[in-house]
Amino acid sequence: DEFVLDRFVAGQNASPHYAFGHGAHFCVGAPLARLEGKIAMGLLLDRYAEINLDPDDPFEFFANPGTNGAKRLPVVVRPA
């Protein structure tokens, strides 16, 4: 699978990371955080028929190369 930055692709094989640690540094709250994320995404996708980036308000990534992710991600939604 190709990693896509400009749109959300459910189930995409993103590059591996260590957000919850590994080995002795594994976060004990990781399973709860994953479950919360799964529930939140399910509710979001059930609630909105369309979720698109706002073309009039561009998104921003964090400037620090050590931090991945969007600093701002304005979206436009259409209810389901």
Side-chain angles (χ1 to χ4, degrees):
D1 292 337
E2 183 179 329
F3 184 63
V4 180
L5 290 175
D6 65 342
R7 67 184 187 283
F8 174 75
V9 179
Q12 76 179 348
N13 185 12
S15 58
H17 60 83
Y18 298 100
F20 293 122
H22 182 69
H25 302 285
F26 185 75
C27 174
V28 295
L32 177 59
R34 288 188 183 105
L35 178 60
E36 290 173 339
K38 183 177 181 179
I39 292 169
M41 288 303 297
L43 290 171
L44 185 71
L45 296 173
D46 286 344
R47 187 167 292 173
Y48 299 106
E50 284 186 28
I51 304 171
N52 297 301
L53 292 175
D54 186 346
D56 299 324
D57 193 2
F59 64 91
E60 296 176 43
F61 283 101
F62 284 105
N64 182 347
T67 304
N68 289 332
K71 182 176 182 180
R72 292 182 62 253
L73 188 65
V75 295
V76 177
V77 297
R78 183 173 62 86

